[in-house]
Amino acid sequence: MSLKPGRRTPRSQRGVVLLDAIVAILLFSVGIVGMVALQGAATKLAGDAKLRTDAAMAADQVIAQMWVSDPTQLAAYFQSPGGAGYKAWAATVTNVTAHQGLPGAAGHPPTINVTTDPNGGNAVTVSVFWQAASDTGTHQYVTSTHIAH
């Protein structure tokens, strides 16, 4: 089969290059959309991890304050919702600024439960709640410790 000098492709093959280009652009576009979706999911998960870390740090902060406080007055000073130490700590957790506070914590304030352990000391449970703007539910971080007399 020979081609005439002025004719480059047979009539039945016209548009094949255009079809190849369209398929390539379609595949490239699907890849780009997948990469953007992956980047969005990674950004959301990183934000969730930061909020979980902030909640853990807030709970650790109040437990550290309890360790240096008078152990006989822990329940009176840190029990939620009326303890003075609790109120000061809860204000830092619920007041959202650039460097502290958790989003949505004002609507669901943290709790501290201090009970006297029959074996001595105090059993302390700290619960911190938050809800990011894009979340539909509330997240919770709970930690428990035993503070000896």
Side-chain angles (χ1 to χ4, degrees), residues 40-58 101-103 130 132 134-135 139-141:
T43 301
K44 181 181 180 339
L45 291 175
D48 291 347
K50 183 206 178 294
L51 293 176
R52 187 173 313 281
T53 302
D54 289 349
M57 290 178 64
L102 291 166
W130 72 94
S134 61
D135 290 338
H139 299 275
Q140 179 180 15
Y141 178 82

Side-chain angles (χ1 to χ4, degrees), residues 48-64 80 86 89 93 102-105 108-113 124-132 135 137-145:
D48 291 347
K50 183 206 178 294
L51 293 176
R52 187 173 313 281
T53 302
D54 289 349
M57 290 178 64
D60 289 347
Q61 177 191 19
V62 75
I63 289 172
S80 59
Y86 165 77
W89 172 73
V93 173
L102 291 166
H108 202 132
T111 62
I112 298 175
N113 186 22
V124 176
T125 302
V126 178
S127 300
V128 180
F129 306 93
W130 72 94
Q131 183 176 5
D135 290 338
T138 303
H139 299 275
Q140 179 180 15
Y141 178 82
V142 179
T143 185
S144 298
T145 190

Side-chain angles (χ1 to χ4, degrees), residues 6-59:
R7 197 168 179 189
R8 295 185 179 174
T9 58
R11 185 174 189 106
S12 63
Q13 293 186 1
R14 284 187 180 168
V16 171
V17 173
L18 180 62
L19 184 61
D20 285 348
I22 290 172
V23 169
I25 289 170
L26 178 68
L27 290 175
F28 184 73
S29 299
V30 168
I32 293 295
V33 168
M35 288 177 55
V36 168
L38 184 64
Q39 184 67 32
T43 301
K44 181 181 180 339
L45 291 175
D48 291 347
K50 183 206 178 294
L51 293 176
R52 187 173 313 281
T53 302
D54 289 349
M57 290 178 64

